[in-house]
Structure formats: C-alpha cells, structure tokens
Amino acid sequence: MRQAIKSDSMTSTVMTPIGTTARRGPPRIRSAGATLLVAAIAVALVWANLPSLDYDGLWSWVLTVQLGPWAAHLDLRTWVNSGLMTLFFLVVGLEARQEFDLGDLRERRRLALPVLAGAAGMVIPVSIYLIVNHGGAGAVGWGIAMSTDTALALGAFSLIAAHAPERIRTFVLTVFVVDDLVALIVIALAYSEHIAVPGMAVAVVAYAGLLAGRRLPHRLRGWSFALGTVLTWAGLLSAGVDPVVAGLAAGLATTAYTPSRTELQEATRLVRLFREQPSAKLAAVATRGLAGALSANSRMRHTLHAATSYGIVPLFALANAGIVIDGDSLRQALRSPITIGVVLAYVVGKPAAVVLTSWLAERLSGGSLRPPVGWGAVLESGTIAGIGFTVSLLIANLAFTGDALDQAKIGILAAAAGAALLSFAVYRVIETLPEGVRARALLGTAGRLVDLAEPVDDNRDHIQGPPTAAVTVVEYGDFECPWTAMVGPTAQELLIANTDVRYVWRHLPLPDVHPYAQTAAEAAEAAGDQGAFWPMHTLLLDRQDRLTPDDLTGYAEQLGLDLDQFRDDLARHRHEARVQRDIDSADRSGVAGTPTFFVNGRRHDGPQDLTTLNRVIDEARAQATVVNR
C-alpha cells in the first residue's frame, strides 16, 4: 500500500495542488478573520471607555489626498469606511461571481431562492424595526436593520459549524450578497442628501469602461480594471454617494473560469524559454503568461482575501465599534426603540424571513424552487444571517449622531452576539439528531449539479470497489506528477477507509511538463490488457522518477507480463486512443491539472489529504442516502 500522507504534520501543511481551482476562501482564514474582528471590537470598546486615550479624536483626524486639481478631505474613519472597505466588498463580489460562474449558481434557476430569501431577509427585519420605531425619531435608521455582515457571519459560521457541508455556505453567501448589494444601493440612494449629477456621470462612464476593459489584451486589463474601479469610486464620492458600492460592482463584473489546456501549455512554453535563456525580458513574459492562465477573479481573491480578513475588516471594527458604555448608556439602550428595533429585526426577523420565504417558495412553485439544503440548514442560515455589523454601522453613522448613534451601535453589537448564540444552539440541536435525520436536516433532498462530463462506464473505466457503492471517486491523474503521488490518496487507502466506495482512475498526462507521462499511461493500459492495470498503476506512481521505456519494460517483466506483446503495444501506440478519451473527458469536465477528484460527479476543490477526502465522501454518502430514500 502506498502511503500518500505520511504524518499528521504533513497533512496540516498540504496545499492545494497546482492546477486545481480553490474556489472559496480557506476556512482557516475565515475563522481567524472572525477572531481578529471580535478582538478588534473588544479593543475598540475598551479604548472608547478610557477617556485619556481620546478614541474619537484619532479617528476624526482629517487626511487629505490630492491628485492634481482633485482632492479628497476625509477623516480617518471615513477613509476606512468608504475607502478601505471598498476592497472588502470587492472580495464579496468576486466570491459571488465565482459561485455564479463555477459553483452551483451557474444553473441560474438555483439563484432564485437565495435571492428571494435575501430580499425577504431585508424587508421583514426593516418592517419589524419600523413597527418598533413608528412615529419616532429612530425611524430614519431603518436601513440599519437590512444587511448581514458577510465577513463576521461567514467567520462565525466557520467556527460554529466547522464541519457543515460546503453547500450551506454557498446558500448563505448568496443570501448575504443580495443583502449587501441592496443595502449598498440603499446607502447610495436613501442616505445621500444630494446626488451631484456630474460625479454620478463620471462613475457610470468609468464603470462602463471597466466592463469594456475586459476585451483589452491581458497586459492592459489589470491597469484598466484598477483605473476603472478608482474612477468609479471617485465619481461616487464626488456625487455625494458612499462609494463602497464600487467594490461590489467591480467584483461582480469579474468573471471566473478554470484555466484551459492551451493556456497552461503556453505558460509552460514561456517558462521553458526563460529556463533556456534567463533574461529580464523573458522573465516578464513568463510571469505574464503564468498570470494570464488564471482568471482575474482567482488572482484577486488570492491576493485580497487574507488582507481584507486580517487587516481591513478588523480595522473597520476598531474605527467604528467604540462606544462609551456605562450604567446610564445601558439603561437608555434598554428603553430605546432604536436598540430594541435593531435586536428584534436581526435576531427574530432574519431567521423568520429566510425560513418563511424558503417554505413559501417551495409550496407555491410545486417543489421546483426547493432549497439546495435541508430545513435545518435553512434555519441555520437564517440565524447566522442575523449577524449584522459592517453595513449596519455604515448606515448608523449616516443616519444618527450622538446618543442615538450609540444606541444603534449597542443594538448592532447585541444583535450580533444574540444571533451567534442562537446559531450555535440551532447547530448543536441538529448535531444531536439521529444520523439519518441529521443528514436530511442539513442536506435536504434536492439534487446536485454534476461536474463530471462523462459518467463512469463499468465496461471501460478502471474501477476498484463494489459496483453498488454509494460513493464513486474519480481521479484524473498523471503518473509522472509528484502531486498525484504525494497528495492524492491511493485507491487502496480510500477503499480500506470506506467499504462502500468505488475508486476510478482516469488518465490525464501532461506531456508539456512530464515527458514520460503519456508513455506511462499507455504502459498502464498495455498492462491492463493482460489483467495487471492496478499492479502497474501502483508501480508507476511509486517509481515516477524512473519511467523510461526500459524502466517500463522492467516493470512489465517484474509483473510477469508477456514482454513481446507489451513492447509491441507501446511501439504501435495501441492504447493511445484509449488514453485520449480520458483526456477529452477531462477537458469537457473543466479539469486543468492533476490530481483532480470528482466525488459522485462533483469536482472536489480544496485540500486533497485523506482526512479531507474522507469528510467529503461522508457528505456524499449522506446525500446519496437521503436522496434515495
């Protein structure tokens, strides 16, 4: 048996192999970012309650940025809220667009329910807030009750439900993006006293230029995107509109896709040219080629995700969460319609809106708009959506001043804490349910999209495991790829750990980087003709640094094969067409590199250690059990 993951320490440091698509922010970044955010809130509260440190004095300091005749005179808090937070909303837009292009939401019908839930998740909480504040001065702050804090809520979700199925996060993220988009439009329209038409015209033209810039040559797209985003931001600012919406709009305009084989081969060619004749010019060309093989969406998410999670969002909390809390302020908050309205809107209104909308949509559509998750997960999504912070504080700062602002902030913090505790309670109750009931509560019965273009063929594919297995794992691999040997678990490891799993190997030789991979794949097929595919498969992966024709013949002799037939098969390339069929199926399935795994037809994106794959297999098994009942 080949041991792919040799120690716990190695497992903890395994990274996603080159060529796979890491679609989502790493859970470690999300949970660590949430921890930093909570720490920043605590520091801000302590800071604000120590008068000698002058909390408001620092954040009120005006910083001027001037470029020729244009200048922006903003205090530090506004630079954080309207400047740096634009990058945070850019990441939110990028993640949403990635789900639209590559995730479950690429089937647009699946977008309808999260959008409806997100819309209701604003209307119902706002209605609750307005009922509590009817006729009072606090009614102007109705926009505070609208939006979920994407960063804090997703971070809290990662901590509370660390092992929850990834599809729940997809559903949650879509609901949140609807919240953020509409809330930012509300900021732009309802909380802007006067909109200057020239500035708005600049923003519209700049955003149109940003969209058009996607057709420019690759070397110019980055500059075009940056310039279009900055000008859109500046135009909105000069128009009197909070400019953070520019980030979300730019992110949603940035498409995501997996690299094509042609682009990857061209990148390899450029790197080889540099290796043969290292020079500054060829280094620049190779760098552009490597970057150009990936989507701008993927590159920017990789660049900005950690910066926004670890830096910008905690800094935003530090600049805005400082409230003077004493007995008098707490007594005022407990009696304040503003505080009460915010807490009820988030802790009661958000869950009620998400659950009620999902139920009504399924009933009224006859089941065609079924939640992509179970009803327990829908409830969990609603409770976690009750964590409002970022946009809520932005709107609070626009709507209120003085004591009213402090009461709104206390309500926002109390609602976030209450929603987090409620989410924790809901998830723990779901965890205590019997296994079958728990699977149905989390996963539901809705079918999942299939990424694998060519279904497994019992008569053609190389399969280990029972034919009636609940879970099928397909691996596209390259016998000369070190990631395939080092990171991907073997069929033996998967089958030992899971008796109801079948494992399928498909060839994806990458001859531009692995010169012997194609011949090794054909050698495995030649051995398969003599009933020895799997023994040869194991030998090739264990000895991938020795794959010359003489080495392959030696392995055939070691396995007791008919050497004349084996050599003749290789010389005539008798199995080239068989290998090419696997390559074609990989291209149709969007496979860019090796190893790539599909679990019950769904591409697995992320870490590929045995522990992670077993967790994915457990989820697929549970889903199969629920759907087949």
Side-chain angles (χ1 to χ4, degrees):
M1 184 195 320
R2 177 171 56 89
Q3 186 65 35
I5 306 299
K6 299 184 181 299
S7 69
D8 290 340
S9 62
M10 181 176 177
T11 300
S12 65
T13 59
V14 165
M15 297 179 68
T16 302
I18 296 171
T20 61
T21 305
R23 291 183 180 174
R24 303 166 182 89
R28 185 178 300 175
I29 290 181
R30 295 199 298 266
S31 58
T35 302
L36 280 175
L37 180 56
V38 172
I41 293 172
V43 170
L45 290 171
V46 172
W47 184 358
N49 284 275
L50 295 174
S52 61
L53 297 181
D54 193 15
Y55 174 82
D56 284 321
L58 173 65
W59 298 109
S60 299
W61 183 63
V62 175
L63 175 64
T64 298
V65 174
Q66 187 163 358
L67 182 63
W70 298 282
H73 310 279
L74 305 173
D75 60 59
L76 282 182
R77 181 178 283 120
T78 304
W79 276 116
V80 172
N81 293 357
S82 298
L84 291 179
M85 285 301 290
T86 302
L87 294 176
F88 164 73
F89 286 109
L90 171 61
V91 173
V92 172
L94 291 170
E95 287 203 343
R97 181 58 188 259
Q98 184 277 330
E99 290 297 339
F100 297 155
D101 291 340
L102 297 176
D104 280 354
L105 299 181
R106 68 183 185 272
E107 184 180 281
R108 295 296 183 251
R109 181 178 60 84
R110 294 173 180 255
L111 182 61
L113 183 56
V115 167
L116 290 173
M122 292 178 292
V123 172
I124 292 178
V126 167
S127 299
I128 291 174
Y129 179 87
L130 287 174
I131 289 171
V132 175
N133 286 271
H134 179 67
V140 69
W142 58 271
I144 297 171
M146 292 180 61
S147 182
T148 298
D149 185 298
T150 304
L152 185 55
L154 289 180
F157 181 78
S158 297
L159 292 172
I160 292 169
H163 300 298
E166 186 65 28
R167 71 166 72 181
I168 299 178
R169 182 180 178 273
T170 301
F171 180 74
V172 168
L173 175 63
T174 312
V175 173
F176 293 177
V177 169
V178 174
D179 274 358
D180 286 338
L181 180 60
V182 177
L184 292 179
I185 293 173
V186 167
I187 290 176
L189 300 178
Y191 289 96
S192 299
E193 294 182 0
H194 174 70
I195 297 178
V197 175
M200 184 60 70
V202 169
V204 171
V205 172
Y207 187 67
L210 182 153
L211 296 175
R214 295 180 298 179
R215 299 181 179 275
L216 292 173
H218 175 263
R219 65 181 183 277
L220 301 177
R221 289 178 197 169
W223 291 104
S224 172
F225 180 88
L227 181 61
T229 303
V230 170
L231 289 178
T232 302
W233 183 90
L236 292 173
L237 180 67
S238 65
V241 176
D242 195 298
V244 291
V245 69
L248 186 63
L252 289 172
T254 308
T255 56
Y257 54 83
T258 56
S260 70
R261 175 180 296 273
T262 302
E263 290 170 326
L264 292 173
Q265 289 174 340
E266 175 63 14
T268 301
R269 186 186 70 82
L270 294 174
V271 171
R272 280 183 171 166
L273 287 176
F274 170 74
R275 175 65 182 88
E276 293 165 357
Q277 190 178 15
S279 67
K281 180 179 179 180
L282 288 177
V285 172
T287 300
R288 286 198 300 269
L290 289 172
L294 295 172
S295 69
N297 186 293
S298 177
R299 296 197 304 273
M300 285 194 287
R301 281 189 293 114
H302 174 76
T303 301
L304 296 174
H305 201 285
T308 55
S309 296
Y310 291 155
I312 292 174
V313 175
L315 183 61
F316 171 83
L318 192 64
N320 290 274
I323 312 168
V324 177
I325 297 178
D326 52 28
D328 185 53
S329 64
L330 287 177
R331 281 191 295 271
Q332 289 184 17
L334 289 174
R335 297 192 301 267
S336 168
I338 295 174
T339 305
I340 296 170
V342 170
V343 172
L344 289 178
Y346 278 108
V347 178
V348 177
K350 284 285 187 180
V354 173
V355 173
L356 182 61
T357 302
S358 300
W359 180 78
L360 284 174
E362 181 171 358
R363 292 295 298 272
L364 296 177
S365 69
S368 62
L369 285 181
R370 184 181 304 176
V373 295
W375 286 105
V378 171
L379 177 58
E380 176 77 7
S381 302
T383 56
I384 206 74
I387 298 179
F389 186 77
T390 307
V391 178
S392 299
L393 284 180
L394 288 174
I395 296 178
N397 280 299
L398 295 172
F400 297 123
T401 57
D403 290 343
L405 177 58
D406 287 344
Q407 291 161 17
K409 288 183 176 181
I410 290 173
I412 292 168
L413 293 175
L421 290 174
L422 183 58
S423 298
F424 178 82
V426 169
Y427 189 72
R428 287 298 172 265
V429 169
I430 293 174
E431 285 286 280
T432 64
L433 298 174
E435 183 176 352
V437 178
R438 182 172 69 251
R440 181 177 290 270
L442 290 175
L443 300 172
T445 58
R448 301 195 69 185
L449 289 181
V450 175
D451 299 312
L452 189 65
E454 185 170 332
V456 173
D457 186 337
D458 292 341
N459 297 318
R460 187 180 70 84
D461 279 306
H462 300 292
I463 304 172
Q464 284 187 317
T468 58
V471 179
T472 297
V473 177
V474 177
E475 177 183 1
Y476 282 92
D478 175 319
F479 286 119
E480 201 177 350
C481 171
W483 286 108
T484 301
M486 197 170 59
V487 180
T490 62
Q492 201 68 17
E493 289 169 319
L494 286 172
L495 294 172
I496 288 174
N498 304 276
T499 57
D500 61 344
V501 169
R502 63 175 182 166
Y503 170 89
V504 180
W505 169 275
R506 286 181 176 175
H507 302 288
L508 184 57
L510 306 175
D512 53 325
V513 287
H514 301 140
Y516 297 113
Q518 175 71 29
T519 305
E522 292 180 29
E525 291 299 325
D529 259 7
Q530 301 186 45
F533 175 84
W534 291 109
M536 179 65 82
H537 169 276
T538 300
L539 279 174
L540 294 175
L541 285 176
D542 282 343
R543 304 174 188 181
Q544 58 181 203
D545 57 336
R546 300 189 299 276
L547 297 178
T548 65
D550 288 342
D551 292 324
L552 298 176
T553 301
Y555 302 150
E557 183 177 9
Q558 180 180 335
L559 295 174
L561 304 183
D562 182 330
L563 295 184
D564 290 336
Q565 179 183 338
F566 182 82
R567 290 193 187 99
D568 189 60
D569 285 349
L570 291 187
R572 295 177 180 273
H573 298 286
R574 187 165 284 130
H575 300 286
E576 182 179 12
R578 167 66 180 78
V579 174
Q580 187 61 45
R581 282 199 297 269
D582 280 357
I583 295 172
D584 293 341
S585 74
D587 288 341
R588 293 196 304 275
S589 301
V591 178
T594 56
T596 296
F597 290 91
F598 292 80
V599 181
N600 277 1
R602 291 283 296 178
R603 181 169 46 240
H604 167 64
D605 296 318
Q608 296 178 334
D609 57 276
L610 189 59
T611 301
T612 301
L613 280 172
N614 275 322
R615 186 164 63 246
V616 174
I617 287 170
D618 288 342
E619 179 184 332
R621 179 188 295 114
Q623 178 68 43
T625 301
V626 168
V627 172
N628 293 330
R629 281 182 176 176

